[in-house]
Amino acid sequence: LSHNALGDATVDALADAHATPSPLHAALRALDLSQNALRGEAAGEALARLLCRGGAALRRLNVAQNHLGDAGGAALARGVRDGGARLKKLVLARNALGDQAAYALGAALASNKTLGALSLWGNERISAAAAAQLRAAWQRNGLLSLDDD
């Protein structure tokens, strides 16, 4: 579904559709929503709902090159914390994330022990202090890969 300019409303609809369990939802292992004009907190909340409601089987989520920003990144982090129990890889590259999102992701890693790879490259608004906190959470969790360049 990448490169389709789907926008926030489509992700919201996806999250709502996954609220009702079905064999199709249980089979969804990877979702690529990169470059789809997802913006802000509403998009992050929809992605969090997707993880919490019907994304139990989801292993890989790519939302690179959207515009989630801090509020959207923090909202998505709540989904990683509360519903991303099987999520192995999360790609958030080039999403205009900053400290708020980085701290929220670090906090999410305290309860999510399955995330093995996290990509944050191209999010220049993350300060050195927030990056250090995130690296510390990554090391405590034993993540396989943290790409934050």
Side-chain angles (χ1 to χ4, degrees):
L1 296 174
S2 66
H3 299 82
N4 281 300
L6 297 177
D8 299 346
T10 302
V11 174
D12 198 48
L14 275 171
D16 289 343
H18 275 76
T20 305
S22 81
L24 178 61
H25 302 155
L28 183 64
R29 298 282 190 260
L31 184 58
D32 185 349
L33 295 170
S34 61
Q35 295 188 15
N36 268 300
L38 307 180
R39 298 187 180 277
E41 189 170 13
E45 287 176 354
L47 292 165
R49 280 196 338 272
L50 178 68
L51 288 174
C52 290
R53 289 184 182 169
L58 196 61
R59 303 289 195 276
R60 293 182 308 278
L61 177 60
N62 183 348
V63 291
Q65 298 186 30
N66 284 289
H67 302 281
L68 294 179
D70 261 349
L76 176 55
R78 289 189 292 275
V80 170
R81 179 192 68 207
D82 298 337
R86 294 188 179 175
L87 194 63
K88 302 279 186 197
K89 182 176 184 177
L90 177 59
V91 181
L92 289 169
R94 298 186 66 192
N95 262 291
L97 302 181
D99 288 356
Q100 178 187 2
Y103 285 123
L105 286 164
L109 291 176
S111 60
N112 182 313
K113 305 294 185 193
T114 61
L115 190 63
L118 176 61
S119 176
L120 294 170
W121 65 265
N123 288 293
E124 291 87 13
R125 297 178 184 176
I126 298 175
S127 70
Q133 181 267 352
L134 192 53
R135 277 190 203 95
W138 165 71
Q139 289 172 337
R140 281 191 305 273
N141 245 21
L143 278 171
L144 300 176
S145 170
L146 175 64
D147 178 5
D148 63 349
D149 294 333

